[in-house]
Amino acid sequence: MEKPWGWIKAAMFPYNPVLVPKISPSEDPKKSKKLLKLWQNSMEKEKITHISEEIKEKVPVQLKNLKKFGIYPKRGILNIGGEVSYNLFPKITSFDRPEHISYDILKPYVTVYNGEVIYVNDQPIFCSGMGREIFIAKPGYFI
């Protein structure tokens, strides 16, 4: 069934959020590729702001996508006025080549989010009222 993308686009106006595809992990890889191609063609045909591929977990979001979301340059960069969160890992000396360390296997010793320590040595630290809304006035402003 064809989706009414024209109506969807009109309903999103004037904010025009960036649409991101999400495909079930149980989907066949060939079918997933076909669905992403169909997604890309539909979005380009209707001129809807979108991202062509899924956003993977535990992988940094690409700069071009951060720009589309309107997050760059305010968040996630080490500049004056920028905000960054980070993980600290224990020092490891048993690796021959440190560039091959798998950070998916290692657990961070400390996690800092916006200057607040939220995780230390396998223990989360819950702070009531922590968090805030990030308002993005215009997505895709830097594209």
Side-chain angles (χ1 to χ4, degrees):
M1 178 179 158
E2 185 66 26
K3 302 282 186 237
W5 289 113
W7 287 6
I8 294 170
K9 181 179 178 181
M12 294 188 313
F13 183 79
Y15 185 68
N16 297 327
V18 179
L19 300 184
V20 180
K22 176 68 176 157
I23 297 177
S24 172
S26 62
E27 198 69 61
D28 176 47
K30 285 184 180 181
K31 190 171 181 182
S32 295
K33 196 170 187 176
K34 185 178 177 182
L35 286 171
L36 285 174
K37 184 68 174 167
L38 180 64
W39 164 265
Q40 175 74 11
N41 291 339
S42 298
M43 296 296 103
E44 286 179 356
K45 178 182 169 193
E46 295 295 333
K47 295 182 176 75
I48 296 175
T49 307
H50 68 286
I51 291 178
S52 302
E53 67 278 344
E54 288 186 275
I55 296 178
K56 304 289 185 202
E57 290 183 24
K58 299 182 181 181
V59 175
V61 179
Q62 296 175 350
L63 180 61
K64 67 178 183 173
N65 292 340
L66 290 174
K67 288 179 180 181
K68 272 190 182 180
F69 293 141
I71 295 172
Y72 179 86
K74 280 290 191 187
R75 307 271 187 241
I77 58 169
L78 287 169
N79 280 346
I80 295 172
E83 294 181 14
V84 67
S85 299
Y86 54 90
N87 293 317
L88 298 175
F89 292 90
K91 186 175 180 179
I92 298 174
T93 57
S94 62
F95 286 96
D96 294 332
R97 297 187 302 182
E99 65 272 7
H100 293 345
I101 296 173
S102 174
Y103 290 100
D104 287 337
I105 296 170
L106 288 174
K107 291 185 178 180
Y109 183 70
V110 175
T111 298
V112 177
Y113 173 74
N114 287 336
E116 298 284 331
V117 177
I118 61 168
Y119 183 88
V120 177
N121 200 19
D122 291 334
Q123 295 296 317
I125 299 170
F126 296 104
C127 304
S128 65
M130 187 175 162
R132 58 191 158 137
E133 179 181 7
I134 297 175
F135 179 74
I136 300 171
K138 183 170 180 163
Y141 186 72
F142 292 97
I143 299 176

